[in-house]
Amino acid sequence: MGVEIAIGVGLFVLGSLLGSFLNVVIWRLPRDESIVAPRSRCPACGALIRWYDNIPIASFFVLGRKCRGCKAPISWRYPLVEFAAGLLLVLLYLHFGLGAYLYVYGPFVLALLAITFIDVDHRIIPNEISLPGILVGFACSFLWPGFWKESLLGILLGGGLLFLLSWGYSLLRGREGMGMGDVKLLAMMGAFLGWRSLLFIALFASVQGVLVALVMWLAGVELKPPLPEEDEEEEPPAPEPGPDGPPEKVGFFGAAIPFGPFLSLAAVEYLFFGAAFFRLLSGGQV
Ligand SMILES: [Zn+2]
């Protein structure tokens, strides 16, 4: 028992440190900045952040949510990502124990965490994560006998299934709902989790995406009309068109809601509830 608590605490600390690194990735990767070279600076005043002001979660509160130098407010985003990364590793440990699942799914969920916030900020899912992710996921599939076939089918279905979803959406709405970034993300998920997971992920990502859009609509959050109006973009820094084509994409009900976070959420849910879900579907037997 004591050992498990120690491992859990250790994993939380490790996760929050990795989360701190993810914050750097989330900020720098879409801006094509190096994620290793220069030390972190305050985005407001440019002051170097000292190591003792860069302790995950704790520094945010010690500093009173302000930069030590210029007193510019620090976003809740930073401790949130650090906490989420720590929590995810602990939850994986509680669910799977120490072993191959933790070592494979740990980096996987941390990558999803970075993808989620990059997609929220920039409406892109960087190839730098998704394409190596496909390869790593497939390579890891050989840890489990025979799973490489599920993984390979997952990559193929991941690409194909989302293409079909996107095509269906475009028939309904007369415009593209998901971009190629989402397709590559789903292929990466298929590589890590096998093709079966994609049925779960497509279902739960869509349902939760529609629910969130519905709640936003009920709450009176102004959703954009089907015709996108670029100048109404809330985020001032407009992302440049990447190799995937124009980044502007129109999500549920014509509102610009990125789909990557919902796919990522559903993939994490699959890790914890997927097996139970399929047992339920098959009448309790698997
Ligand atoms: Zn500052």
Side-chain angles (χ1 to χ4, degrees):
M1 189 63 191
V3 177
E4 281 157 13
I5 291 174
I7 293 172
V9 170
L11 281 171
F12 184 82
V13 171
L14 175 68
S16 64
L17 285 166
L18 292 169
S20 184
F21 173 67
L22 291 185
N23 278 320
V24 174
V25 171
I26 291 164
W27 178 267
R28 293 187 187 173
L29 193 60
R31 292 176 172 82
D32 280 329
E33 297 171 15
S34 166
I35 55 174
V36 281
R39 288 179 46 209
S40 295
R41 291 172 177 277
C42 166
C45 69
L48 271 180
I49 296 170
R50 296 174 196 122
W51 67 267
Y52 52 81
D53 285 342
N54 208 7
I55 295 163
I57 305 170
S59 286
F60 175 79
F61 294 100
V62 170
L63 288 168
R65 300 181 242 151
K66 289 193 277 285
C67 168
R68 188 186 287 277
C70 70
K71 305 294 176 204
I74 302 171
S75 168
W76 277 97
R77 162 81 65 87
Y78 296 100
L80 186 74
V81 168
E82 288 155 1
F83 179 79
L87 183 68
L88 280 168
L89 290 195
V90 171
L91 290 177
L92 283 175
Y93 167 61
L94 292 177
H95 193 73
F96 294 109
L98 276 187
Y101 284 114
L102 178 65
Y103 306 137
V104 172
Y105 295 152
F108 174 63
V109 298
L110 295 183
L112 295 182
L113 193 57
I115 283 173
T116 291
F117 285 101
I118 291 173
D119 200 14
V120 166
D121 285 349
H122 301 275
R123 302 291 148 78
I124 55 165
I125 293 167
N127 287 338
E128 289 92 333
I129 300 178
S130 60
L131 294 184
I134 294 171
L135 292 178
V136 171
F138 183 61
C140 290
S141 73
F142 289 91
L143 287 169
W144 296 284
F147 187 66
W148 69 271
K149 289 177 217 146
E150 309 256 323
S151 175
L152 188 61
L153 275 174
I155 296 169
L156 299 175
L157 185 65
L161 177 72
L162 204 69
F163 177 79
L164 284 179
L165 275 178
S166 185
W167 178 68
Y169 183 92
S170 68
L171 281 187
L172 280 172
R173 307 289 312 186
R175 73 186 59 253
E176 209 180 313
M178 284 161 275
M180 283 304 291
D182 296 310
V183 172
K184 281 171 266 185
L185 173 59
L186 215 63
M188 168 180 155
M189 290 169 172
F192 273 94
L193 305 175
W195 67 274
R196 274 169 247 263
S197 72
L198 299 175
L199 312 175
F200 179 101
I201 291 169
L203 175 66
F204 281 79
S206 304
V207 168
Q208 288 169 119
V210 168
L211 277 178
V212 166
L214 193 63
V215 167
M216 284 172 67
W217 177 68
L218 289 173
V221 178
E222 196 179 326
L223 297 179
K224 287 174 199 162
L227 279 175
E229 293 175 57
E230 286 305 297
D231 49 333
E232 280 186 12
E233 200 59 50
E234 289 162 1
E235 316 249 337
E240 309 82 24
D244 291 334
E248 100 279 343
K249 59 182 167 181
V250 180
F252 298 100
F253 301 111
I257 297 178
F259 200 45
F262 292 104
L263 291 173
S264 300
L265 177 64
V268 171
E269 288 164 347
Y270 175 81
L271 284 175
F272 295 106
F273 310 116
F277 177 77
F278 282 112
R279 261 199 309 276
L280 206 68
L281 273 193
S282 60
Q285 300 139 48
V286 161

